[in-house]
């Protein structure tokens, strides 16, 4: 389960996925490698691990958050500096979305 898009030789992949709505089904499936953000009437009620989960129809999976690290690369060509010099910069970010375990 994944979605990527290519534009200008660069592959784009979203950090969060929005799952397909199952209608009035009484169960939801969270794919392996993801964690689900679960809402009831738009309010956060919890996180689900991969597997099958029984839930009422008004309980929805809002987002699927991947467990893997996400790589974001972007080249910047001919970036001007403060003293009118041009440099080439290649930026690579590697990040992972994690649950905040602090008490609120």
């Amino acid at each position: 389960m994944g979605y990527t898009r290519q534009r200008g030789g660069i592959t784009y992949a979203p950090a969060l996925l929005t799952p397909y709505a199952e209608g009035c089904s009484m169960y939801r499936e969270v794919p392996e490698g993801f964690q689900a953000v679960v809402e009831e009437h738009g309010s956060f009620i919890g996180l689900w691990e991969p597997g099958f989960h029984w839930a009422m129809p008004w309980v929805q999976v809002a987002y699927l958050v991947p467990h893997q690290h996400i790589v974001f690369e972007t080249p910047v060509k001919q970036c001007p500096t403060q003293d009118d010099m041009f440099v080439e910069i290649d930026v690579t970010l590697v990040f992972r979305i994690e649950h905040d375990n602090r008490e609120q």
Side-chain angles (χ1 to χ4, degrees):
M1 173 168 194
Y3 171 78
T4 59
R5 177 179 53 184
Q6 273 201 317
R7 187 179 343 156
I10 299 174
T11 302
Y12 296 89
L16 296 175
L17 299 175
T18 305
Y20 174 75
E22 300 92 4
C24 291
S25 178
M26 294 293 285
Y27 71 91
R28 308 288 189 274
E29 181 182 5
V30 179
E32 193 66 37
F34 289 89
Q35 192 172 41
V37 176
V38 185
E39 294 180 346
E40 181 176 346
H41 301 294
S43 297
F44 174 81
I45 60 169
L47 298 171
W48 286 349
E49 294 298 323
F52 285 96
H53 300 271
W54 292 96
M56 300 306 287
W58 52 84
V59 174
Q60 297 294 320
V61 173
Y63 301 103
L64 295 174
V65 181
H67 287 294
Q68 76 237 23
H69 288 85
I70 300 163
V71 179
F72 176 74
E73 293 185 86
T74 179
V76 178
K77 304 227 180 203
Q78 299 301 319
C79 180
T81 63
Q82 192 173 15
D83 56 349
D84 282 335
M85 298 293 292
F86 287 90
V87 296
E88 289 188 21
I89 301 172
D90 188 18
V91 177
T92 302
L93 295 174
V94 178
F95 64 94
R96 179 176 175 190
I97 301 170
E98 293 186 358
H99 179 65
D100 184 9
N101 293 324
R102 294 180 291 175
E103 293 295 322
Q104 304 210 3

